[in-house]
Amino acid sequence: ANYAELLKSDMITYGKNTLILWVIGFVPQIVVALVLANWFTDARLKIHKLQFFKVVIYLPNLIMASAFAMLFFALFSKVGPINGMLQSMGVVAEGSPYDFLGHTGSARTLVAFMNFLMWFGNTTILLLAGMLGIDTSLYEAAEVDGATSNQVFFKITLPILRPILIYVMITSLIGGLQMFDVPQILTNGAGGPKNTTMTLIMALNKHLFSKNYGMGGALSVFMFIVTGILSMIVFKMNKQTEK
């Protein structure tokens, strides 16, 4: 009974943390990716050096998550340059640096922001490829009919992009459930403050490190089941929308 209660507690607590970190990272990611992809494919904007911008937004995806986490750990530590700038600007009192990793909101925001920086470029490229595959005659017909830019985006672009959006959501969801390296390194494996950045994989690693293989195996099976259920829900929602 105690074993089952402990497993249930881990699933609820760390599952909730993982979901929160994924949501606050994925929502701005998909919004920014859609906006950038729409801009890059809009011939009326005539954006110069387009290939350069594509490379730049994809570069963070090539950086190792551990390197990203170490960089942000150094930047946002109590003696880091961010606190130094805030103190010099008078935002933070001199000699009383803000503990970014000691407060739930700022710690979760940092984790989500890093995941956003690493993956929004990849999402943008995927959506961009989908938009470039849309028949231009649809846009020409909409322009002749007097459709506005918003109407074209919401009535033509988004419906045609639905399969790619579903793919992005599912892969991002699976990646969110497997979130480990960024919060692990940023919080030194503690998942602080008060376990609010402890993800399911971090909890799994913690159990395996302490040789509690039963809890680790049960947590792995739970994650597999949750991933399958969530993927099926997304597919069902997509089919209902198509109908």
Side-chain angles (χ1 to χ4, degrees):
N2 291 335
Y3 183 86
E5 286 296 325
L6 181 60
L7 179 61
K8 181 180 178 182
S9 176
D10 277 10
M11 290 177 179
I12 294 174
T13 303
Y14 304 137
K16 178 183 176 183
N17 292 342
T18 305
L19 182 61
I20 291 173
L21 291 173
W22 175 74
V23 168
I24 60 180
F26 177 73
V27 171
Q29 177 192 142
I30 196 68
V31 171
V32 171
L34 278 171
V35 171
L36 288 176
N38 191 48
W39 284 351
F40 290 163
T41 55
D42 193 341
R44 292 172 296 182
L45 294 179
K46 297 180 181 178
I47 299 176
H48 298 288
K49 306 292 183 181
L50 193 56
Q51 295 301 324
F52 169 77
F53 288 114
K54 291 178 183 178
V55 172
V56 168
I57 65 173
Y58 191 76
L59 279 178
N61 190 249
L62 303 178
I63 302 175
M64 292 179 61
S66 55
F68 240 121
M70 289 299 295
L71 173 63
F72 272 69
F73 182 82
L75 287 175
F76 290 90
S77 66
K78 288 185 178 181
V79 294
I82 301 298
N83 261 310
M85 291 173 56
L86 293 176
Q87 291 181 45
S88 63
M89 294 167 59
V91 178
V92 176
E94 194 72 29
S96 300
Y98 182 77
D99 188 5
F100 285 96
L101 300 178
H103 295 81
T104 300
S106 55
R108 283 177 170 173
T109 301
L110 283 177
V111 173
F113 182 61
M114 278 185 279
N115 281 301
F116 163 79
L117 282 179
M118 287 190 298
W119 292 104
F120 88 97
N122 180 70
T123 305
T124 302
I125 297 300
L126 288 173
L127 296 178
L128 184 60
M131 289 184 183
L132 290 173
I134 299 176
D135 190 351
T136 55
S137 63
L138 296 174
Y139 294 120
E140 294 170 358
E143 187 176 355
V144 170
D145 291 338
T148 63
S149 298
N150 288 336
Q151 288 174 330
V152 169
F153 180 74
F154 287 104
K155 300 294 185 180
I156 297 177
T157 306
L158 274 185
I160 296 177
L161 278 180
R162 188 185 297 114
I164 296 180
L165 288 172
I166 295 298
Y167 169 79
V168 168
M169 183 175 292
I170 292 175
T171 53
S172 175
L173 188 59
I174 294 173
L177 287 172
Q178 297 175 348
M179 193 184 305
F180 172 73
D181 38 14
V182 169
Q184 174 77 11
I185 296 173
L186 192 65
T187 64
N188 199 23
K194 298 179 180 179
N195 286 335
T196 52
T197 57
M198 177 75 72
T199 64
L200 286 169
I201 294 292
M202 289 175 67
L204 173 61
N205 180 69
K206 188 177 178 181
H207 287 308
L208 294 178
F209 187 76
S210 61
K211 297 184 178 180
N212 190 357
Y213 301 120
M215 281 290 294
L219 206 54
S220 299
V221 173
F222 166 75
M223 291 183 61
F224 173 75
I225 294 173
V226 168
T227 303
I229 292 174
L230 291 175
S231 299
M232 288 300 297
I233 290 174
V234 173
F235 272 119
K236 291 290 184 181
M237 290 173 60
N238 183 43
K239 286 185 178 180
Q240 290 177 358
T241 305
E242 287 178 351
K243 290 179 181 179

